Amino acid sequence: MSRETILASIRAALPPGQALPELDNFGLHYDDPIQQFITTAEAVGANLQSVDNRGGIAAAVQAFLPGASSILSHVPEVPCKNFTRDADRDPHAYSDLDLIVVEGLIPVAENAAIWVPDSQYDDHAAMVLTQHQVIIVRASDLVDHMHQAYAKVAAAEVPRFGFFLSGPTKTADIEQSLVLGAQGTRSLLIIMIRDESTSTI
Amino acid sequence: MIDHAQHARNFTANAERTAWHDDALWFVREKRDKATKLIPEWEELREQASQVKMHMLSRLDHYLEEFERNATARGIQVHWAEDADAHNRIVHAILERKGVKNIVKSKSMLTEECHLNPYLAERGMDVIDTDLGERIVQMRNEPPSHLVMPAIHIKKAEIGDLFHEQLGTDAGADDPKYLTEAARQHLRPKYLEADAGITGVNFAIADTGGIVVCTNEGNADLGTSLPPIQIHCMGMEKLLPRLEHLGVFTRLLARSATGQPITTFTSHFHGPKPGGEMHVVIVNNGRSAILAKPEFRRSLSCIRCAACLNTCPIYRRSGGYSYGSVVPGPIGSVLSPAMDLEKYAALPFASTLCGSCTDVCPVKIDLHDQLLAWRKYVVKEGYLDKGKARQMKMAGKLLSSPTLYRTASFLSKGMKLVPRVLLYNKKNKWGMERELPLPAKRRFRDLYRKRPRS
């Protein structure tokens, strides 16, 4: 009933038709998208570690959080610790999680955002309840900007859940003072794999 | 009727605090400027966003139906609410059916507009606002004073006192990092106890049937990923036709709002979690009436970035509460009169019409033109303040008659001889807290007549 009332009131009020503009990505291109991504990632509070190939992942994770009390890893190079992968777990159990390790699919140079859909982890809750986070990206997957990123997202089946993540959580709600680690992840390490020839996912 | 001028007077009575507030907002405006200057195609991006929104509004019925169809196919339950009351009843019914007691809610100006929190509280439900700024104002029993930074008007020492009283932090402690950590520890159990999560909606996508929520704290994700029920409340103008349009809007939103390149979380929800429920409530609440008004319909393009608040010389110096409306600032001053012209008749006058709001708006809403257009409605409906009306009438007569104007302009030469009490009194509102400029020694008319001729 509300539905019909609302649609009728909209139809009675519609402005003259206006064409949808052609999507344009403005030809924005970074000469060095890797450097642009790294600089921006650091500016939004992320830590960044470049590695030559996947062989460097384990050491980078270890160096980032040597004392991690628990690790939930979604990559073969890093073992889980005091946590096992269980897709049917009650999501509340992730409140004890110290570190999660996942792969990101589309790193974006302009804003250091990384597309991480739910194919990359067992539970969305684990991604936000964890204290710390590692996201692994390949330099060869880098796109310049969000127009390219969404073209890639739209080309695949849209996941039930997915997010662009840019840096650890933050707030400036108290007198504009930036505080990293507001409610979700306190810190984020992005591991960038530079050598695409040896990478496999 | 909201007396903006009186509220502003109360706010500016504390000169030190007014300057502090002004500076805090200007700091954010400057961050926005820096961020936008890094994007060479910024102006084209704004134009594209504006056109996408205007197209969407011109086919809103079509896109709403497309959204509903696609969302439903994904297992999302779509509800339609004609007004605030219907919205609250729908949300309450969903929660009631599942016996929900504890709710976590991330930032949503729409649920503020509908006054959802008190509605649910009166029915025995506990709603915790989880955005840090919103939690702070909720603890103080205040509404947000800003769209993006709800507690921008509160000093850290006051937050320190509030947290000491309610969360047991150390007396006198006002370090933002310490206070944020205390809020984190306070809020975490709330997420774990919650039976349902409610969020606003930044964007809804017609061709995929999903919604997008943007936060920096991750609180919308914390609030929706744990409990089995998630409810997303959206104004019906939040639609975008296609997923790819997010490329345009995610580039504009955070840069315009806080100067960040993008929000930390840009979360795309396209269906309920296994065994859970996902609801989207589409709300009209006066929006179709705005759509019907050609001079005001562009205001429905608003993405609530608050850039117009941060730049507005009136907002910065009068504070969010002076507007007496859920949405303050320039955008609030064009949206609120559409809801209740009599109550908000003063708001279109809370502007110098300098046009800075229009310049920074990421979707190119012609805000200062709309403020001027609302003034005409206010006059036509007879809601103009009597003193101001009398002055305007006199000025109108003067300016429309060349003889009267010349006489007045000749007499004004003697203005410096007029006793101050005649110029600076309660009847002359333009003389209050302002020095009237002295007339030039030689009038333009005289200069023009005596110009050298070849």
Side-chain angles (χ1 to χ4, degrees):
Chain A
M1 188 185 70
S2 264
R3 181 184 187 280
E4 297 318 314
T5 317
I6 292 170
L7 287 171
S9 69
I10 291 171
R11 288 186 186 118
L14 281 185
Q18 182 163 336
L20 191 60
E22 284 291 309
L23 280 171
D24 179 357
N25 69 21
F26 310 105
L28 174 69
H29 176 67
Y30 294 103
D31 293 334
D32 187 350
I34 294 181
Q35 192 50 52
Q36 170 68 25
F37 180 86
I38 292 173
T39 309
T40 311
E42 287 171 348
V44 298
N47 300 286
L48 210 126
Q49 182 67 53
S50 292
V51 296
D52 289 336
N53 52 52
R54 297 190 68 90
I57 291 173
V61 172
Q62 168 67 18
F64 171 58
L65 208 65
S69 59
S70 57
I71 300 174
L72 181 64
S73 171
H74 297 73
V75 301
E77 290 82 1
V78 179
C80 288
K81 180 180 171 188
N82 295 332
F83 239 96
T84 48
R85 294 221 10 213
D86 175 5
D88 299 323
R89 175 186 282 123
D90 174 355
H92 295 78
Y94 293 110
S95 65
D96 296 329
L97 181 61
D98 203 16
L99 176 67
I100 194 166
V101 183
V102 298
E103 311 250 7
L105 297 192
I106 311 168
V108 187
E110 74 160 313
N111 54 18
I114 304 168
W115 176 245
V116 198
D118 57 9
S119 57
Q120 304 304 304
Y121 38 86
D122 295 328
D123 197 320
H124 174 198
M127 287 292 283
V128 278
L129 276 171
T130 182
Q131 301 287 325
H132 305 276
Q133 198 170 58
V134 173
I135 305 179
I136 300 158
V137 298
R138 297 189 301 179
S140 55
D141 289 329
L142 258 177
V143 297
D144 285 303
H145 48 65
M146 293 306 286
H147 307 291
Q148 288 167 325
Y150 274 110
K152 279 181 111 171
V153 172
E157 175 64 25
V158 183
R160 186 187 64 73
F161 179 80
F163 40 21
F164 280 100
L165 290 174
S166 174
T169 62
K170 55 182 76 71
T171 180
D173 274 342
I174 301 177
E175 277 203 19
Q176 284 303 293
S177 301
L178 182 67
V179 179
L180 294 181
Q183 299 200 41
T185 45
R186 291 178 187 274
S187 68
L188 165 68
L189 170 70
I190 301 169
I191 299 176
M192 182 178 279
I193 304 172
R194 302 289 282 260
D195 182 359
E196 50 197 276
S197 63
T198 59
S199 65
T200 50
I201 286 184
Chain B
M1 187 169 114
I2 302 293
D3 188 348
H4 177 269
Q6 183 57 48
H7 293 166
R9 208 169 290 131
N10 297 344
F11 187 83
T12 53
N14 184 337
E16 183 270 331
R17 199 177 181 103
T18 308
W20 169 81
H21 189 266
D22 183 10
D23 287 347
L25 271 309
W26 189 249
F27 171 68
V28 184
R29 157 75 209 261
E30 286 185 314
K31 284 203 296 184
R32 173 247 170 229
D33 288 352
K34 278 185 206 132
T36 62
K37 293 210 166 65
L38 295 174
I39 307 297
E41 67 281 12
W42 183 256
E43 291 306 317
E44 289 89 339
L45 209 51
R46 289 176 70 213
E47 180 58 34
Q48 192 154 91
S50 164
Q51 287 182 22
V52 169
K53 281 285 189 178
M54 289 313 289
H55 166 79
M56 178 275 295
L57 290 172
S58 77
R59 303 195 64 194
L60 182 56
D61 56 332
H62 162 84
Y63 285 122
L64 281 170
E65 288 186 301
E66 186 184 352
F67 172 79
E68 181 190 42
R69 202 163 49 241
N70 290 325
T72 306
R74 290 179 183 276
I76 299 168
Q77 301 180 47
V78 178
H79 311 261
W80 302 71
E82 175 57 32
D83 53 24
D85 190 49
H87 163 267
N88 294 346
R89 275 188 277 113
I90 289 166
V91 173
H92 177 255
I94 296 167
L95 300 169
E96 173 96 300
R97 192 159 36 82
K98 292 282 170 178
V100 167
K101 283 276 166 280
N102 300 310
I103 301 147
V104 283
K105 181 159 78 68
S106 74
K107 204 146 96 260
S108 149
M109 290 313 293
L110 178 73
T111 57
E112 290 290 333
E113 174 185 322
C114 295
H115 303 290
L116 178 67
N117 284 13
Y119 185 92
L120 295 180
E122 283 161 21
R123 286 155 185 80
M125 294 177 183
D126 186 32
V127 188
I128 299 287
D129 283 321
T130 56
D131 171 83
L132 175 57
E134 269 213 328
R135 184 70 190 125
I136 291 168
V137 293
Q138 186 184 37
M139 286 164 78
R140 287 164 59 107
N141 292 316
E142 286 176 355
S145 79
H146 186 280
L147 299 175
V148 174
M149 301 169 285
I152 187 78
H153 61 294
I154 309 172
K155 295 199 168 191
K156 62 183 179 186
E158 294 166 319
I159 297 168
D161 292 345
L162 180 75
F163 280 18
H164 172 61
E165 214 173 278
Q166 299 197 20
L167 304 182
T169 54
D170 296 341
D174 67 354
D175 174 46
K177 209 172 161 185
Y178 170 78
L179 296 175
T180 301
E181 181 63 30
R184 179 189 176 96
Q185 301 303 338
H186 157 69
L187 285 167
R188 203 146 247 256
K190 306 289 183 197
Y191 292 115
L192 295 169
E193 288 158 15
D195 312 309
I198 300 177
T199 81
V201 171
N202 288 93
F203 308 104
I205 310 140
D207 78 339
T208 62
I211 59 115
V212 175
V213 183
C214 304
T215 71
N216 280 326
E217 299 177 33
N219 52 315
D221 291 70
L222 279 161
T224 51
S225 61
L226 286 163
I229 301 164
Q230 63 192 86
I231 305 175
H232 308 276
C233 304
M234 62 175 266
M236 63 186 194
E237 79 285 13
K238 293 288 173 192
L239 273 177
L240 296 178
R242 302 215 304 266
L243 183 70
E244 290 96 318
H245 291 130
L246 286 166
V248 177
F249 288 88
T250 54
R251 298 188 72 201
L252 287 165
L253 177 62
R255 288 186 174 100
S256 297
T258 61
Q260 291 172 256
I262 190 169
T263 46
T264 300
F265 286 72
T266 306
S267 300
H268 304 57
F269 297 87
H270 277 88
K273 58 181 88 62
E277 288 181 17
M278 175 171 168
H279 300 264
V280 173
V281 187
I282 299 170
V283 182
N284 182 3
N285 205 29
R287 285 162 175 77
S288 57
I290 298 178
L291 189 66
K293 296 187 170 77
E295 64 270 66
F296 301 118
R297 58 173 58 124
R298 284 179 80 105
S299 62
L300 293 173
S301 304
C302 177
I303 56 172
R304 302 292 191 270
C305 72
C308 62
L309 279 61
N310 302 340
T311 200
C312 178
I314 306 295
Y315 176 88
R316 283 188 278 118
R317 293 178 183 82
S318 64
Y321 296 148
S322 64
Y323 295 81
S325 56
V326 173
V327 180
I331 184 65
S333 299
V334 305
L335 291 175
S336 307
M339 299 280 188
D340 185 341
L341 185 59
E342 185 175 5
K343 183 173 178 191
Y344 299 113
L347 296 195
F349 296 89
S351 164
T352 62
L353 300 183
C354 70
S356 185
C357 46
T358 305
D359 288 344
V360 298
C361 177
V363 289
K364 298 185 104 169
I365 300 171
D366 50 343
L367 285 157
H368 71 294
D369 290 334
Q370 294 197 22
L371 288 166
L372 184 61
W374 272 122
R375 291 183 185 187
K376 290 177 192 157
Y377 274 86
V378 171
V379 172
K380 210 171 114 199
E381 300 297 323
Y383 297 132
L384 188 66
D385 170 276
K386 282 209 179 69
K388 210 175 258 170
R390 200 181 316 116
Q391 277 185 328
M392 287 294 172
K393 205 163 255 177
M394 278 167 60
K397 264 187 196 152
L398 199 70
L399 295 173
S400 59
S401 152
T403 319
L404 271 178
Y405 178 76
R406 258 175 245 146
T407 315
S409 138
F410 177 75
L411 289 176
S412 73
K413 280 182 168 181
M415 204 172 93
K416 59 179 173 234
L417 305 174
V418 177
R420 281 187 72 84
V421 64
L422 285 182
L423 285 175
Y424 299 94
N425 59 45
K426 282 201 171 158
K427 290 222 167 113
N428 181 10
K429 298 217 166 186
W430 282 8
M432 286 162 74
E433 291 161 35
R434 264 197 202 91
E435 279 295 309
L436 297 178
L438 282 176
K441 283 199 177 114
R442 299 174 70 193
R443 294 178 303 167
F444 173 77
R445 184 181 161 79
D446 300 335
L447 291 173
Y448 186 76
R449 280 165 67 184
K450 288 176 187 158
R451 74 193 185 281
R453 289 168 212 237
S454 53

